[in-house]
């Protein structure tokens, strides 16, 4: 029997005709729609017979329209909408998302409806509609919580919503992933699914650390410990100061997972950044990252370039505190005395004195 797993590798390798033959043999109509939409996206992004795309979408739409179950139709329309959105046909994507929502309006089974809403929200997230996706995820969560159903069934539905939230976070850049992960963690944590909650918590920490260059494939590589592969993806996708910041973010993650090679990554990041042009925001970000990395001389060199007096003072304070934590209290005090903002200077000196007292 032909399965979706038989079709996807053919699509990924560009064997589109063979893939279409296999798709015809799939028994589940939703699997057919899934495969066809993935083929359209792959042709659009990697090159191929672009004139096939309208026909593929039309055929997928026809399959969905013939489905008996409105929940299945909603999920099928969601996949088509997601594909169109990722190919930047935004008006058409919106129409299909609206069709999916209309199908779900009449669904009475609260379990089916909750999961289908979460499935719809996941595909909205893939298409770049993060705010709308979060709203629909919240709707799926609220409708499940308020539904009259057996406790075990309700838990199963909530876990499925949490899984789709996590999957949405995995599929989008860090700037959009964080809210999906936080909502997912909250559900897993409250339901005492401790192992999965810990996994999502680690993803949250990674997302916050590798934020500016947090492509899904970079984060995935880092989670798998493939640090050099993550750096290679960084090099392919970014250049100049952004690549420097990205390398420092990756180095910071490596430090946090106790990989000593992070020091080499920091050195190579500066060596490869030729003739950089830093904005004020760049300088502030780099100073912050270098402080967290413990590269305090470099951090100070950037901190003193910050024009905003308050932010310069905060950066210098952070470096001074780090020096004190490293038991170089005298250097910490000398730096703190030169902090330009008097309030921040006083705060820094008090904290350093407290640290000194704690070590006596």
């Amino acid at each position: 029997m032909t399965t979706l797993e038989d079709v996807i590798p053919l699509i990924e390798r560009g064997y589109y005709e063979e893939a279409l033959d296999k798709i015809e043999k799939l028994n589940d109509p939703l699997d057919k729609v899934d495969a066809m939409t993935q083929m359209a996206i792959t042709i659009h992004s990697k090159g191929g017979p672009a004139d096939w795309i309208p026909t593929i979408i039309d055929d997928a739409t026809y399959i969905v329209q013939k489905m008996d179950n409105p929940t299945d139709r909603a999920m099928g329309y969601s996949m088509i909408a997601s594909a169109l959105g990722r190919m930047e046909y935004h008006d058409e994507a919106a129409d299909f998302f609206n069709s999916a929502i209309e199908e779900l309006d009449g669904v009475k089974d609260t379990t089916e409806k909750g999961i289908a809403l979460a499935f719809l929200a996941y595909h909205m997230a893939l298409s770049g509609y993060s705010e709308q996706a979060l709203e629909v995820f919240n709707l799926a969560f609220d409708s499940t919580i308020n539904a009259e159903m057996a406790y075990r069934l309700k838990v199963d539905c909530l876990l499925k919503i949490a899984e789709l939230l996590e999957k949405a976070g995995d599929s989008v850049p860090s700037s959009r992933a964080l809210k999906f992960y936080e909502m997912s963690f909250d559900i897993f944590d409250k339901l005492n699914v401790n192992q999965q909650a810990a996994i999502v918590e680690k993803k949250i920490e990674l997302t916050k650390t590798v934020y500016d260059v947090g492509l899904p494939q970079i984060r995935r590589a880092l989670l798998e410990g493939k640090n050099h592969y993550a750096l290679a993806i960084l090099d392919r996708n970014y250049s100049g100061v952004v690549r420097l910041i990205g390398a420092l973010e990756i180095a910071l993650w490596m430090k946090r997972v106790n990989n000593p090679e992070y020091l080499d990554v920091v050195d190579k990041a500066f060596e490869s950044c030729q003739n950089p042009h830093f904005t004020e925001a760049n300088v502030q970000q780099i100073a912050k990252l270098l402080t967290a990395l413990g590269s305090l001389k470099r951090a100070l060199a950037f901190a003193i370039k910050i024009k905003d007096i308050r932010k310069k003072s905060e950066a210098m304070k952070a470096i001074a505190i780090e020096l004190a934590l490293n038991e170089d209290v005298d250097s910490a005090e000398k730096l703190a005395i030169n902090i330009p903002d008097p309030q921040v200077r006083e705060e820094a000196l008090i904290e350093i004195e407290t640290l000194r007292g704690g070590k006596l």
Side-chain angles (χ1 to χ4, degrees):
M1 184 180 71
T2 303
T3 66
L4 189 60
E5 287 71 26
D6 298 323
V7 179
I8 300 305
L10 293 172
I11 294 172
E12 290 174 346
R13 292 198 295 267
Y15 299 148
Y16 302 123
E17 290 186 5
E18 293 92 330
L20 283 174
D21 289 339
K22 293 280 188 183
I23 289 170
E24 288 294 322
K25 297 174 184 176
L26 293 171
N27 290 327
D28 188 335
L30 279 174
D31 282 348
K32 288 185 177 181
V33 175
D34 192 352
M36 294 170 81
T37 52
Q38 289 197 52
M39 183 184 292
I41 292 166
T42 303
I43 290 171
H44 183 267
S45 62
K46 294 185 177 180
D51 56 320
W52 286 23
I53 293 175
T55 302
I56 292 170
I57 296 298
D58 287 345
D59 289 349
T61 304
Y62 178 79
I63 292 170
V64 174
Q65 290 170 341
K66 292 297 181 181
M67 292 176 181
D68 295 328
N69 189 325
T71 302
D72 289 343
R73 289 198 297 272
M75 294 171 81
Y77 284 138
S78 298
M79 286 189 278
I80 295 170
S82 176
L84 289 166
R86 290 159 75 182
M87 292 186 291
E88 300 188 359
Y89 299 112
H90 296 295
D91 291 341
E92 294 86 346
D95 289 340
F96 275 97
F97 277 129
N98 287 332
S99 295
I101 292 168
E102 288 171 7
E103 292 288 351
L104 290 175
D105 283 343
V107 174
K108 302 300 181 185
D109 186 309
T110 49
T111 305
E112 276 190 24
K113 189 169 186 174
I115 292 174
L117 280 168
F119 186 84
L120 167 61
Y122 164 68
H123 280 284
M124 283 182 164
L126 289 185
S127 305
Y129 307 118
S130 296
E131 293 303 318
Q132 297 92 326
L134 286 165
E135 289 176 10
V136 178
F137 268 124
N138 276 308
L139 183 60
F141 177 81
D142 291 342
S143 64
T144 302
I145 285 291
N146 297 323
E148 293 183 4
M149 65 175 82
Y151 176 76
R152 184 67 255 173
L153 198 60
K154 184 173 290 193
V155 168
D156 288 344
C157 189
L158 289 170
L159 288 176
K160 185 63 179 176
I161 293 169
E163 288 168 6
L164 285 166
L165 277 159
E166 180 185 358
K167 194 176 176 183
D170 291 343
S171 305
V172 298
S174 291
S175 58
R176 304 208 304 267
L178 196 55
K179 289 182 180 178
F180 295 114
Y181 283 145
E182 287 173 343
M183 190 173 174
S184 175
F185 171 79
D186 193 49
I187 296 172
F188 284 129
D189 187 50
K190 283 184 168 57
L191 293 176
N192 296 315
V193 186
N194 298 328
Q195 184 175 359
Q196 199 59 37
I199 290 170
V200 178
E201 188 172 32
K202 186 174 183 179
K203 289 180 178 180
I204 289 171
E205 184 184 356
L206 172 58
T207 299
K208 289 179 176 178
T209 304
V210 184
Y211 189 84
D212 289 88
V213 297
L215 296 176
Q217 57 267 42
I218 288 178
R219 301 201 318 271
R220 191 178 309 116
L222 292 172
L223 279 173
E224 294 171 358
K226 298 176 181 176
N227 303 314
H228 293 290
Y229 181 51
L231 288 165
I233 298 171
L234 175 74
D235 288 343
R236 286 201 302 269
N237 288 275
Y238 299 98
S239 61
V241 175
V242 177
R243 184 170 62 188
L244 169 63
I245 290 171
L248 295 178
E249 289 182 340
I250 290 172
L252 182 55
W253 175 254
M254 291 169 65
K255 181 185 178 187
R256 287 176 175 170
V257 296
N258 300 315
N259 186 324
E261 290 183 11
Y262 78 90
L263 294 167
D264 293 333
V265 174
V266 173
D267 289 338
K268 288 176 183 176
F270 280 98
E271 288 170 9
S272 62
C273 189
Q274 303 296 324
N275 302 316
H277 298 285
F278 298 112
T279 66
E280 173 76 353
N282 293 156
V283 173
Q284 293 172 18
Q285 175 72 347
I286 292 169
K288 182 178 179 181
L289 286 166
L290 288 169
T291 302
L293 283 160
S295 185
L296 301 183
K297 287 184 179 179
R298 278 189 174 129
L300 183 57
F302 278 90
I304 61 178
K305 294 177 184 177
I306 297 172
K307 296 176 183 176
D308 184 295
I309 296 300
R310 181 74 181 190
K311 290 181 179 177
K312 176 189 285 190
S313 299
E314 292 288 356
M316 292 174 68
K317 174 188 171 184
I319 297 166
I321 298 302
E322 195 66 27
L323 283 166
L325 289 169
N326 291 338
E327 301 186 4
D328 190 354
V329 179
D330 291 341
S331 296
E333 281 188 340
K334 288 177 184 176
L335 177 57
I337 289 168
N338 289 301
I339 291 173
D341 185 293
Q343 182 181 347
V344 179
R345 184 193 314 134
E346 183 179 356
E347 291 170 358
L349 289 168
I350 290 170
E351 286 190 42
I352 292 166
E353 189 59 35
T354 301
L355 288 169
R356 184 200 294 276
K359 288 181 169 61
L360 293 176

